[in-house]
Every structure is written in C-alpha cells, then in structure tokens.
Amino acid sequence: MRCAIVGSGLAAFATYATLRHGGLPAEEIVVFGTHEDPTEVWRTRAAAIRQQRMRSESDGHLAPAAFPGLAVREAARRVSPAPLLRSVTNRYHPSVDDFLAHADSLRSRTGWERSFRLQRVERIRAVDGGFTLDGEGPFAHVLIATGHPGLARPDAFPGAVHAYEPHDYASKVAIVGAGMAAATEWLNALAAGAEVVSIRRREPLRRPLNVPRPFFSKRGLAAFHSAPTERRAATLRELSTPSYPAGAAWDEPVRAAERDGRFRVEASPNGSEQVIAATGFRHGFRHDPLLADLVDAHELPTHDRWLVLDPDSTVATLTDETRTLSVAGIAGQWAFPAADTIAGAKYAAHAFRRRACRTR
Amino acid sequence: MSYTLIGRIQTRVVSVLPALLVALALQRWWAIELVALMLGIGLVLDVAVYHRVFTYQPAWLALPLGVLELGLVYGGMRWLHLMAPLRWALGLYAIGWVAAQLFGHAIFPRLRLEYAEDGGELGRRGALGAVAVATIVAGGLGAAYAVRPPTVHLHGTIQGPLVIRHAQTLVGGTVKGGILIRADHVTLRNVTVVGGEDGIDVLDSHHVMLDNVRIVGVSLDGIHVRRSSVMIEDCKITSPNGPWVQGIDISFSMDKEMSMVEGCTIVGVREGIVTHMTMVDVMHNHIGATSLRGITMGEMSMGAISHNDVLGAHGVGIICLDHSECEIEHNTIVGTRTDPTGDSSRAGVAIEAHFFAKAKVKHNTVIASPGGVQAFDGSTVTR
C-alpha cells in the first residue's frame, strides 16, 4: 500500500476519486474510516436542517474533473437549458438529492469499497519511508481528512438541541447563530408554523459562497499564502464569520414573518419552548484527538488554533521527496481558507495526487 | 472564475487554436492576420483591463465582453485595411469565441483538474502549448508580412492609361486615362481616375480591392470588371462623359470568388451598378439620377441588394433580370420616373423582376415610384 487516507467523509472520498482518476489502483490505496458510506455523516446533518439545495454551484461535486458539472448533468437529464443558464449567471445550486445521487454513482465507479477499512485511526507516526497508522504501515503518502472535530454547543444554552442533530420544531423556537444553518433553520421553523426568535452576536454576513470567490483560486490564494503568519490568521478569523447567501428566497419568508410578528431578533430565548444551536462546529486542531496527538508527538508548527501547512496542504516538516503528509477538510485551512468546502477537499486532493502519482 | 494574469494569457492563447487551424486551412493571409488581430486585442484587454477590473469573472460576462471584442476587432480590421470578407471574418470570430467558451468551461477543466484553482493556468504542458500557438500565429503573421505586395504611393497627376501586371497596393494620386488591372492581389486606395473609356478595368484578376477610388469623366464604364473577383468600397463615380456610361459593371465571373460593392456613390450614369453572370453583394450604395436603371442584377447573377438608396432613376430603380436570383432587402427607392416610351416594365418601377428571375423582397421603402414592385415575363417576386 502506497497511500492511506485517514477519514471516510466527503474530503476523503474526493481524494480517493482523484487518486483513482490519476491512475492509482484501488489496491494501492487504503481508506481508514468509521463510515463505509462517505456521504453518511454529511447526509445526516443536511437532513437535520432539512437542506434542499447546496450552497455550492455546478462544480460542487466529488468527481475529480470539474466538467461535466451538476448543471450540465441536470440539463442533459431534463433536456432543458435552464440549469446551464442559471449556472452561467451564478444562480445554479444543485439539489442535495442530485449531489448525493452523483456521489453514490461515483462511489460505485471508483471501487471505494475495495479500499475502505472500518477502523478509527488514533495515532500517526512518521517513520523512515512514510508513516505508520496505529502501528500499521509504513504508508508513503498519507492524507488526513478527519472532518469537523465535533459540534459547537453554546455554554449559555445547555439544553439546546444542535441544528445538525435530528429535531422537530416547537411552537416558539429560539435559534442561536447567524450562518447558513441558522438561516436554513429560520425558514424551516417558520414553514413549520413556529414563532422564531433569532439570537445572534452580529448581523449576518451575506456572501454567495463560504469565502469570497478569489480565495478559491491562485488569484486570491497567492496573497494569502505570502502574508505574514498573524495576518494570515486574522484573515482566517475574518473569513470564519458566519454567512449565508443573499436573495429573496432567504429574505422574503423572514420579512413576511416579521410583518406578522412571527420573527424577531432578541438577546435571549424570551420564553421559547425550544432552543436550537445553529452554531456550527468546534474550531481548532486541538479538538481533534488524532491531530492533537500528531502535533504533540512531532512538534508540528501551529499558529493559534491552526495547523501550519504549506500551500499544497502538506505538513512541511514531515513531507519530502519520498513521503507526504497532507491535511484536507477544515484542518487544512492554513493552505486553503475554504478547506471545509468541496472545492477545498479537491484542492488538497489535487496536490496529494501530484505527489502520490509523481513518486509512484 | 478568478483568473491570474498568466492564467488569462495562457487560456486566451491556447483557446485560439481552433480559429487558427481554420485560418490555416483557408490558406488566406487575411485569415491568419485576423486571428492575430483577435489574439492581439484579447491579450491587450487581458493585461490592461480585464485583469485589473475583474478579480472574479462570472461566466455570463463572456457575452458582453465578446461583443466588445468583436467591435474592436472589426474596428481594427477597418483601420488596418484587412481584406477579410465580412461573413468569413464573422465566422472566424464566432469560431474563436465559441472555442474559448468550450475550452474555458469544459476542455481545460476536464484535462487539467487544477484549472480553476490555478486561476486558468495550464501548467507546463499548457505553457508549451501556448508558446507553440503564439509561435504559429507570429510565424504566419511574419510570412504574411514578408510576402505582402509592395505599396506604391502616387503623387500628383499621372498620365495613363496605367497598366498593373503585378500584385501591389497603389495609394493616392490622380491617373488620367484609366487604369488596367491584370494581376491578383492588387489594391487601389484613395486613387482618382479622370477620363478614359473605362475608369478602372479589372480583367482576369482575383482578390482585387478598390477602396475609396474616385472616377470622373469616363466615356464607357466607371469600373469595368470581367472574369474577376473584386471588393469595391466607398467609391465615387460622377460626371460621365456621354450618355452610355455605366457606373460599375461586373460580369462573367460566376466561377470566381464572390464580389462586393459597398458604400459607393454613383450619379448621372446610364446604369448605376450592373452585373451579369456574377455572384455579388451590393450594399449601402447611393445611386442617383440614372437614365436606364439604378441597380441591375442580370443574366443568372446571384446575390443580395440591400441597404441601398436609389434616387430619381429613370424607368426602373432596382431590377433582378434574366434568370437571376436576388435578395432585395432594406433598400430605399425614391422618385423613380416613368419612361415616356409607354413600356409598362419601365413605368417608374421601383423594384422589378424580369424574364424568369426570382426576387425575394423584404423591408424596402418605396416612395413616389408609380410602378411599385412588379414581376414580368415569368419572373417571381416573393415577400
């Protein structure tokens, strides 16, 4: 085995598909994970907030090549140019069902099951010629994609249900947060007939994607990568501000509810029967036991809550001509600010493929 | 997409490849020059404007930017006197634009996984490809420049007739007694011809361009073209020396490349523009006070007669004659006068199809022409 992927979520699967596209046989890759279905965790969370559409656009799928995107596929399936027209005007957001169906189809084509091993890795160690995973190996190239290190629950509301956990809506609901999940929950609760109290620390930021578009390409990344450490961290903090897209689909139901007195912003739940914490995930590698152990064992460079990575998402001190340690997903933000998006997963996957296939 | 400057340039250069291949297949210098012009204007815009203005470029912008670039390319063609047939030039531009969309949205993202995140950069192979394409364009342009005909500037008045037997560009000056062209790839620009039987004779010659020529006082034809292909733009033919003078006569060229007459002003002759057995487009001309007909497309000719003004013609304004097939559109015919001979086919007819000719007639303006639009002798007029 030359390559190991630690984790079995979307980022892991995007990396796996990319390696297979690069010509690596399934027998040379092992995926260590806790879920055989790479979409299971994400699917559960999306279902919890009743998400219908992706925030990403046509190229927000897990296949290695951006083309054909989901808009092209939908246009071909429906024999309609409408998805393409919406895509060129940045108004196309694939449905969650389409995204998942495409992921399932890709999974069956790539041979994921042949490489998957049901095992939670607890320790990664650098050794001559690669890395051992819980003593197994060595693997020359390892990519860590362990995902978000747990849900963030506000201390002020210990009884709150998290938005990403299955739940229904009471008749009066307080929703904590101001990001995409919170905005989705406002609409869900209103649609369910509930009265909504929005609890937020700041006014929501309206942005089509998680981060401004230039940060998805070298154009914005070049300045980010060359910035001094603290400025880079400051940029990441700023980009972490919760946001959701602009548009009437988001605003109209809220405005209508405000007019009817069913939606208001308050500092406390104010008698709400239910509190929903749409507060996202815990931040920082310290919350991930595997990464925390790896950092401590090899004294890896860090800054604040971030693992310091090279622009190609690798850990510089443990990567050379013969071996690669890459980080994908939210823990890879030091290389790619939108690391917890599909584009971020692919960014790390592309760099990992270049290294894994070059030294094959 | 958020392009880097290098990404824009590499994407632009490699995407021009299909248009370049078509240009090479056409084996015409103008096609290679046009591709070079498209590429040059695009690169200047990339560096000077697009990179600075668009940190992110949504896909829909390709349409307005494509229109902008088309306008600039057309202006550049006119400014550089690029002898490109308009329809072919538009076709080549369309190929370039569509190819750029296909490359940018489908082919590059398919072939190079990092295309978007690298801001349109194509990697080592792409860079080599861009250099190769740029080299071919530059080589073609250099070759076109190297074999271009010499330019001869005339000053003052030359006693003619002047006979041209080699490819060349003749600029300026006045020629007395006419010019005879017997060579391919001849351009006359800003030349005035005074007197003689025919002002400019073009015989058995291809790719002849007559640009802004003035012809005064001839006794037969202003411009007389036989078995040749010509582009005539912005000419002026006036003050005929006798009652039998025709403005422009293009004949017996059916097996040659299509000819074009555009933007000419012809006044006081017997027939303004007349064609026989020729494929020709006659557009945006101003014909006045003709004594026989304004525009005649005759003897199995084929082509369009569009956007012309025909004023004060005697007898007939525009005629599609003798088995010809004509598209007569968007013309203005005013004050066509009735011939006193009593011939109904010359009774102030604005547009006429005669003797088994087929005329498609649309969107013409006919004023004070008592004969209106008519068909005679087995001809058809369809609207």
Side-chain angles (χ1 to χ4, degrees):
Chain A
M1 294 287 181
R2 296 195 56 79
C3 294
I5 298 171
V6 180
S8 58
L10 299 185
F13 182 52
T15 303
Y16 182 80
T18 302
L19 291 177
R20 297 284 289 120
H21 181 268
L24 223 59
E27 291 70 30
E28 287 198 34
I29 311 167
V30 59
V31 180
F32 294 94
T34 51
H35 299 82
E36 187 169 4
D37 177 358
T39 64
E40 184 179 329
V41 173
W42 185 89
R43 187 198 302 260
T44 306
R45 289 172 184 159
I49 61 168
R50 289 127 172 111
Q51 185 175 346
Q52 302 292 315
R53 296 240 157 226
M54 306 292 287
R55 187 176 192 174
S56 55
E57 296 169 344
S58 177
D59 56 357
H61 56 76
L62 298 168
F67 183 86
L70 294 174
V72 174
R73 292 169 193 277
E74 188 179 337
R77 194 178 65 244
R78 290 172 45 196
V79 196
S80 162
L84 298 177
L85 292 174
R86 288 207 307 275
S87 184
V88 298
T89 52
N90 291 346
R91 288 184 163 80
Y92 179 78
H93 299 281
S95 72
V96 168
D97 289 343
D98 280 355
F99 169 75
L100 290 173
H102 179 253
D104 284 345
S105 143
L106 186 65
R107 181 180 151 200
S108 63
R109 290 202 307 271
T110 54
W112 163 267
E113 280 78 9
R114 281 191 281 152
S115 300
F116 178 77
R117 191 184 298 178
L118 187 64
Q119 180 180 334
R120 179 187 291 277
V121 173
E122 293 178 347
R123 196 170 61 223
I124 299 175
R125 289 292 179 268
V127 295
D128 283 346
F131 305 89
T132 58
L133 310 182
D134 288 346
E136 191 176 338
F139 299 93
H141 308 286
V142 173
L143 179 132
I144 304 170
T146 44
H148 287 285
L151 302 176
R153 298 175 187 280
D155 295 336
F157 307 103
V161 61
H162 199 282
Y164 288 137
E165 294 169 332
H167 58 277
D168 284 318
Y169 301 96
S171 58
K172 184 174 180 183
V173 182
I175 297 171
V176 186
M180 183 81 177
T184 307
E185 287 290 58
W186 299 336
L187 303 192
N188 291 339
L190 291 172
E195 183 182 334
V196 174
V197 173
S198 170
I199 301 173
R200 51 179 81 160
R201 283 183 294 181
R202 58 176 74 82
E203 275 307 296
L205 185 64
R206 309 302 292 271
R207 196 156 53 197
L209 302 174
N210 291 39
V211 302
R213 292 180 188 273
F215 280 104
F216 285 93
S217 93
K218 211 183 215 180
R219 171 109 192 212
L221 290 174
F224 174 73
H225 288 151
S226 60
T229 306
E230 185 41 43
R231 193 184 303 165
R232 203 155 155 178
T235 302
L236 287 177
R237 280 186 209 103
E238 188 184 329
L239 294 175
S240 302
T241 307
S243 69
Y244 66 96
W250 296 97
D251 295 337
E252 284 304 324
V254 171
R255 284 201 199 111
E258 275 179 322
R259 284 195 296 272
D260 297 344
R262 291 177 54 226
F263 183 94
R264 59 187 179 278
V265 178
E266 293 193 22
S268 70
N270 195 14
S272 298
E273 300 157 44
Q274 181 187 29
V275 178
I276 297 174
T279 42
F281 302 95
R282 298 158 86 181
H283 293 305
F285 71 91
R286 279 286 161 206
H287 294 294
D288 184 322
L290 177 69
L291 288 175
D293 172 73
L294 180 68
V295 166
D296 292 340
H298 290 288
E299 297 178 338
L300 300 184
T302 61
H303 184 85
D304 196 358
R305 65 186 196 231
W306 290 281
L307 189 57
V308 171
L309 301 174
D310 267 5
D312 63 355
S313 303
T314 58
V315 178
T317 54
L318 297 179
T319 299
D320 55 33
E321 286 301 306
T322 61
R323 66 182 184 182
T324 307
L325 183 64
S326 281
V327 179
I330 187 65
Q333 272 192 310
W334 199 255
F336 194 84
D340 58 336
T341 64
I342 292 163
K346 289 183 177 180
Y347 177 86
H350 294 158
F352 188 66
R353 184 189 83 138
R354 284 196 295 274
R355 298 193 62 87
C357 294
R358 186 185 65 196
T359 56
R360 187 156 46 130
Chain B
M1 186 150 100
S2 292
Y3 287 101
T4 65
L5 182 56
I6 292 172
R8 275 189 189 281
I9 291 171
Q10 289 184 347
T11 296
R12 168 84 67 178
V13 174
V14 176
S15 298
V16 88
L17 187 60
L20 179 61
L21 292 175
V22 171
L24 291 172
L26 286 173
Q27 298 185 327
R28 292 283 179 272
W29 291 123
W30 64 258
I32 293 175
E33 289 166 349
L34 180 60
V35 170
L37 183 65
M38 285 158 48
L39 186 59
I41 286 174
L43 289 174
V44 168
L45 288 171
D46 282 339
V47 174
V49 183
Y50 297 166
H51 181 66
R52 294 158 199 256
V53 175
F54 304 121
T55 52
Y56 168 75
Q57 186 173 320
W60 62 264
L61 256 185
L63 201 58
L65 295 183
V67 172
L68 168 71
E69 290 181 26
L70 174 62
L72 292 174
V73 168
Y74 181 72
M77 276 173 56
R78 301 297 296 240
W79 187 57
L80 294 169
H81 300 293
L82 208 64
M83 288 178 59
L86 190 60
R87 286 179 191 171
W88 279 96
L90 288 172
L92 201 56
Y93 183 86
I95 289 169
W97 187 85
V98 170
Q101 306 315 308
L102 287 176
F103 272 94
H105 294 289
I107 297 170
F108 290 148
R110 185 78 197 167
L111 295 181
R112 182 167 161 74
L113 302 188
E114 299 91 342
Y115 178 69
E117 68 201 34
D118 279 353
E121 294 178 18
L122 299 173
R124 194 176 301 164
R125 275 183 291 180
L128 286 173
V131 169
V133 169
T135 304
I136 294 170
V137 172
L141 207 56
Y145 184 77
V147 302
R148 79 198 189 286
T151 298
V152 178
H153 291 270
L154 297 181
H155 297 282
T157 302
I158 310 292
Q159 183 58 54
L162 196 62
V163 181
I164 298 175
R165 296 187 184 278
H166 303 286
Q168 60 189 272
T169 299
L170 201 64
V171 181
T174 301
V175 177
K176 277 187 168 179
I179 298 174
L180 171 61
I181 297 173
R182 301 222 50 168
D184 299 341
H185 300 289
V186 171
T187 298
L188 300 189
R189 180 167 296 129
N190 305 331
V191 175
T192 301
V193 179
V194 179
E197 289 190 336
D198 292 334
I200 298 172
D201 247 329
V202 183
L203 302 179
D204 294 306
S205 304
H206 299 255
H207 305 294
V208 172
M209 170 91 175
L210 308 179
D211 181 15
N212 196 31
V213 296
R214 293 157 188 266
I215 296 163
V216 182
V218 296
S219 58
L220 282 181
D221 290 348
I223 298 172
H224 178 87
V225 181
R226 292 290 181 274
R227 298 196 52 74
S228 302
S229 62
V230 293
M231 289 176 70
I232 304 172
E233 287 189 358
D234 301 325
C235 70
K236 287 189 176 56
I237 301 172
T238 56
S239 306
N241 183 15
W244 304 101
V245 174
Q246 300 180 122
I248 298 171
D249 180 346
I250 306 175
S251 296
F252 315 126
S253 306
M254 186 56 92
D255 56 337
K256 310 299 177 193
E257 296 86 353
M258 194 159 187
S259 291
M260 188 173 81
V261 182
E262 183 174 14
C264 285
T265 301
I266 302 169
V267 180
V269 297
R270 184 174 169 81
E271 286 190 282
I273 299 170
V274 55
T275 73
H276 300 277
M277 283 184 62
T278 295
M279 285 200 291
V280 61
D281 279 351
V282 178
M283 301 180 296
H284 297 286
N285 300 288
H286 310 280
I287 317 286
T290 51
S291 59
L292 186 65
R293 302 169 187 123
I295 298 172
T296 301
M297 193 168 275
E299 283 192 294
M300 292 167 282
S301 289
M302 296 175 75
I305 302 171
S306 62
H307 296 94
N308 300 285
D309 300 331
V310 179
L311 310 177
H314 184 73
V316 182
I318 296 173
I319 184 166
C320 183
L321 181 64
D322 189 2
H323 295 86
S324 293
E325 296 191 8
C326 318
E327 292 180 2
I328 303 172
E329 298 177 357
H330 294 284
N331 299 285
T332 302
I333 303 103
V334 181
T336 311
R337 289 169 288 130
T338 302
D339 190 328
T341 58
D343 180 351
S344 62
S345 69
R346 295 190 47 75
V349 184
I351 298 173
E352 178 173 330
H354 200 121
F355 198 63
F356 301 101
K358 292 178 182 173
K360 287 183 185 171
V361 178
K362 268 197 289 192
H363 306 303
N364 296 286
T365 303
V366 175
I367 300 170
S369 300
V373 178
Q374 293 196 55
F376 295 93
D377 290 345
S379 296
T380 57
V381 170
T382 55
R383 299 167 199 259

